[in-house]
Amino acid sequence: MTRIWWIESRRSTAARLGPALLAMNVLMLLTLPAAAGRTGRWMALTMHQRMSLGMLLPLAVAGGAWQLRRDRRHRVEELLSSTPRPRWQRLAPTAVAMATWAGVAYLVVFGAFAAWGLRTASYYPTDTVVIIAVGVVSLVAATWVGMAIGRALPYLVTAPILAVVLITGLGVMSVLVTPDGDEHTTFPRFLFLSPTPSNVPGDAVTIAGRVDTAQAVWWVCLAATAFALLSVVTRRGAALAVAPLLLGSAVAIPMLPAGRDGGEYRLDRTAMEQVCTEDTPRVCLQRVHAYLLPEMSDWARHALGLLAPLPDPPTTAVEWRYLGPDTNDVQPPDTMLFHLELAPYERPTQSEGALWEALDGAAASNGTCTVFHQHDTVARRLAAALLIGTLPPTDDGLDEQEASLFHETYRRLSVLPHAERIRRVAALRHAVLTCQGDLYQVLTEGVS
Amino acid sequence: MRWLWLYLRCRNVLPAVTVTVTAIVTTWAMWVTFSDTQVIHPALTALTVALAVIPISATLTGPTDAVERTAAVSWPLRRTAHLLAWAGVVIGLALSTRFTLDWFVSARYTPPELVLRDTAGLLGLTVLGAAVLGAQRAWIAPLTWSLVSVVLAVTPTPGRPRPSYQQVVMWTTSSARPAVVTAVTLTAVGLAVHALRGPRADQSLHP
């Protein structure tokens, strides 16, 4: 058995599927936006490794379908069907070889990227092991599903059509679970069976245990059904082969949470713990970002220094935390709450952008206010620009109309005397903390 | 004329062209039916062009490839003509959707230069695949690459532009310089290799 497995590993599609999955996986991790796991965010890397399944699963299915065309291509189907050896015994080494190399490719890529980020990461959640294991199971199941389909339809066009249909299908599915701005939108809960996580709300979350369990159960059952379909020879056998999938669906789907945005995630309390600098002014980050503390504290203190001329300036800087869809992170008024937006392709705190993020937070609500106005974002960025005295490096986060409003207003405000600018920023901060007034109007009163 | 007819028949051109036409017409019809805009999304344009180009891989060899190669005709010329004709069908059909706008509220493939670039580059990549892997597997490279490209194009990127190695990866959906260079290179190399060498001979006993 081992001998045939090794022969099949070298002579079947497995020998090409493994490297193909490996290459595609590396490509996905290098190009997916915010794939900054390699800079030390362990869970972000894990989530991106699962997201790459969006491309890897269709590839594995296509590879499986391609492999089962071999008998037809060499016209030995009839010959082989006349041999007394049971079909499953003949196909098992091939199926196991395909599964092995698909799984190994996935783990090797994850291991390589994990090693890359090992030196810098400040928090290693053990959930990673489970999440990656579920990914491997889904990849194995996909390979065998492809083989089962390839057995039923051993044509040249089967593999390419499967690839196109699956990628488009997974794309449509991820659109279905992506929020459209309304957080009360719901979708069928079985969509959580998809192994590609969508819209991860920050770095301090993990996939809920029961979602992991449900996904593991369902994908194992799917793999069982696929393997059974691969080996059966009678119609009754084919009907029975579907049983594991039905059973798995019956067990797994009720376990899943209700289908709404972010429903599959659980807050990771350890990852969210605040890690602060020893000396004052205090700067705190979440444990998951603690490796950035030396650089980030410099920027945050620079921001606190710029805010010092204001009346009752903030004295502590704390990173904003995601506390669930309907909960705000409330902080006392002497605390500057800032959003650590990690830029996709570089260590964020190496750039001047960190200062902007921090100052943007200075004018943001401390979590107590939930009333927003149309141009709040523009007003906050204007306040940051007035304090720093230059324009921001990019217009990220503003749409075209907001960007032009921002530049126009900045031109008018920047010519005002220094004392007047400080007074306006102070008024804006007062409006934020008391939750009264339209920020843009407060900042531009009498000028626009 | 008789030679051409026999050639088209032995290469299974008719079924393959049917797939091409179906891809272009179906996407267009779906967009006209379900979308509010009259401009087909560039990522969908890129995907459709890929689906229209790739069927050529089924027509690159015939059942008697080895015998054909010995014929005293200029194969480089014919192979190149085959490619150019395919490009003509894809580009002509895709860009002709522009004229439907004059008749009713329809949609067109945009931008036109993307259609040209993708058709040329993907044809080059397909015939390169045929030269390296054999015509049977020629679809793998163009299909995989354009699917990756389309997925990247529809994945939102916060802020700054993608680095140039990513522009190469997503060349079928990008208009940046590295993407154009990639397309031109694939076209040139593909055309040359296909004209001079043609698809790899099938090594299995029964193709």
Side-chain angles (χ1 to χ4, degrees), chain A residues 16 24 27-28 30-33 55 59 66 69 73-75 156 159-160 163-164 167-168 343-346 396, chain B residues 47 51 58 136-137 139-140 143-144 147-148 151-152 155-163 165-166 169 204 206-207:
Chain A
R16 259 91 60 187
M24 179 68 85
L27 191 68
M28 284 291 109
L30 286 178
T31 50
L32 277 174
M55 287 305 280
L59 194 59
W66 186 259
R69 221 172 69 78
R73 195 164 64 237
H74 298 280
R75 299 185 190 172
L156 179 67
V164 174
I167 285 178
T168 329
Y345 308 115
E346 59 191 46
D396 295 356
Chain B
L47 184 64
L51 294 182
Q136 287 243 325
R137 298 194 181 88
W139 57 272
I140 295 175
L143 186 67
T144 318
L147 284 175
V148 171
V151 167
L152 287 184
T155 326
T157 42
R160 49 196 65 114
R162 289 173 180 272
Y165 77 90
Q166 296 198 9
V169 172
S204 65
H206 305 281

Side-chain angles (χ1 to χ4, degrees), chain A residues 234-395:
Chain A
T234 59
R235 264 175 200 283
R236 185 190 294 179
L240 275 178
V242 190
L245 183 60
L246 294 179
L247 190 72
S249 305
V251 173
I253 293 177
M255 283 175 76
L256 291 166
R260 57 185 191 83
D261 179 33
E264 75 250 65
Y265 302 111
R266 170 176 74 75
L267 295 178
D268 185 344
R269 295 283 168 192
T270 324
M272 289 167 61
E273 275 170 15
Q274 283 185 345
V275 178
C276 302
T277 52
E278 309 246 310
D279 45 342
T280 51
R282 231 154 48 95
V283 179
C284 299
L285 295 180
Q286 304 183 85
R287 181 176 299 283
V288 66
H289 294 148
Y291 67 99
L292 293 169
L293 199 54
E295 302 149 78
M296 199 58 212
S297 58
D298 289 350
W299 289 113
R301 282 173 184 163
H302 188 164
L304 288 175
L306 288 173
L307 289 165
L310 304 183
D312 299 327
T315 51
T316 311
V318 170
E319 186 196 349
W320 176 86
R321 294 177 298 174
Y322 173 80
L323 295 172
D326 302 318
T327 323
N328 286 317
D329 188 3
V330 179
Q331 296 289 342
D334 67 343
T335 302
M336 177 180 87
L337 201 60
F338 64 94
H339 220 108
L340 188 55
E341 279 283 351
L342 291 171
Y345 308 115
E346 59 191 46
R347 270 175 89 105
T349 47
Q350 287 167 347
S351 66
E352 193 197 347
L355 181 62
W356 288 90
E357 299 288 354
L359 278 173
D360 218 26
S365 161
N366 274 25
T368 45
C369 184
T370 49
V371 185
F372 300 104
H373 299 92
Q374 197 191 352
H375 295 310
D376 280 359
T377 328
V378 178
R380 291 215 308 269
R381 193 164 298 192
L382 279 168
L386 290 178
L387 285 174
I388 298 176
T390 53
L391 284 169
T394 63
D395 284 341

